[in-house]
């Protein structure tokens, strides 16, 4: 379900976002990356930031290793002055490692919101919000209770799994220390 674009700019932005979603589902990552002049993803619940072509491609490959059947169901699309907001279901089956979480074989369905932020016609950022516990609860369903403390402990110890995010935090810490 999508809102009706009111302007030519909104129609162009909406097409970019819908193409982006379709290309992600097809796992045509070259096409997805081409929707950005400089790919930039922010996953708010995990604190991950993937900045640049190589970092975003690595994120795509890792997430599809964990969820090879990952797909979306768009619920609603809305336009703002500088963004397209998409509410959607993200679905998949946990078939590979997700950071420190070994594959459980469990499916998940998680409601999410993505802000596709634009500078004029150019997509400059995809910022994604979701309840990580909704997803984690589904992924861990059926795991023997005796294994949960070790799994949860390893997840908490790992923190954000993004090398760019970790590097960004180190850079910020170094800048603060130098000031």
């Amino acid at each position: 379900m999508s809102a009706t674009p009111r302007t030519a700019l909104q129609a162009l932005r909406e097409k970019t976002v819908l193409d982006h979603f379709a290309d992600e589902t097809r796992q045509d990552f070259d096409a997805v990356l081409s929707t950005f002049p400089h790919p930039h993803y922010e996953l708010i619940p995990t604190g991950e930031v993937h900045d640049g072509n190589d970092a975003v491609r690595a994120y795509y490959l890792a997430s599809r290793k964990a969820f090879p059947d990952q797909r979306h169901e768009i619920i609603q699309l809305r336009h703002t002055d500088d963004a397209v907001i998409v509410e959607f279901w993200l679905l998949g089956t946990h078939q590979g490692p997700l950071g420190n979480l070994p594959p459980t074989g469990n499916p998940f369905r998680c409601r999410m919101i993505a802000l596709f932020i634009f500078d004029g016609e150019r997509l400059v950022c995809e910022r994604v919000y979701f309840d990580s516990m909704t997803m984690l609860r589904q992924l861990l369903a059926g795991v023997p209770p005796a294994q949960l403390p070790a799994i949860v402990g390893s997840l908490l110890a790992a923190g954000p799994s993004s090398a760019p995010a970790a590097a960004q935090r180190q850079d910020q810490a170094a800048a603060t220390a130098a000031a």
Side-chain angles (χ1 to χ4, degrees):
M1 182 182 300
S2 107
T4 303
R6 295 178 300 276
T7 68
L9 180 60
Q10 288 176 335
L12 178 67
R13 288 175 175 177
E14 184 170 317
K15 181 180 180 338
T16 299
V17 168
L18 293 175
D19 288 349
H20 183 103
F21 265 96
D23 294 336
E24 277 189 345
T25 298
R26 282 195 310 274
Q27 297 187 28
D28 183 350
F29 301 133
D30 289 333
V32 179
L33 291 167
S34 75
T35 63
F36 295 93
H38 178 87
H40 185 86
Y41 266 74
E42 298 173 2
L43 302 174
I44 300 306
T46 62
E48 294 176 56
V49 174
H50 304 281
D51 188 60
N53 200 28
D54 293 342
V56 173
R57 183 180 300 277
Y59 160 69
Y60 289 146
L61 294 173
S63 65
R64 294 337 181 266
K65 183 176 181 183
F67 307 105
D69 62 343
Q70 183 173 308
R71 60 208 180 277
H72 314 85
E73 294 175 2
I74 294 177
I75 299 167
Q76 185 68 47
L77 185 142
R78 291 180 169 80
H79 297 273
T80 71
D81 288 342
D82 67 346
V84 176
I85 302 168
V86 183
E87 184 178 8
F88 63 98
W89 290 103
L90 185 68
L91 304 97
T93 308
H94 189 200
Q95 298 296 323
L98 177 63
N100 289 342
L101 181 61
T104 62
N106 289 341
F108 77 93
R109 178 179 173 95
C110 185
R111 197 168 190 151
M112 300 190 170
I113 294 214
L115 303 178
F116 288 84
I117 302 169
F118 286 83
D119 180 7
E121 297 178 353
R122 297 177 319 120
L123 177 61
V124 295
C125 178
E126 181 178 351
R127 185 174 297 139
V128 184
Y129 294 83
F130 62 98
D131 177 10
S132 55
M133 284 305 296
T134 294
M135 185 183 291
L136 193 57
R137 219 177 285 118
Q138 294 172 62
L139 297 180
L140 293 177
V143 171
Q147 292 179 5
L148 289 175
I151 291 172
V152 171
S154 70
L155 293 173
L156 294 174
S161 62
S162 165
Q168 184 181 32
R169 286 191 301 274
Q170 289 173 349
D171 291 347
Q172 289 171 344
T176 302

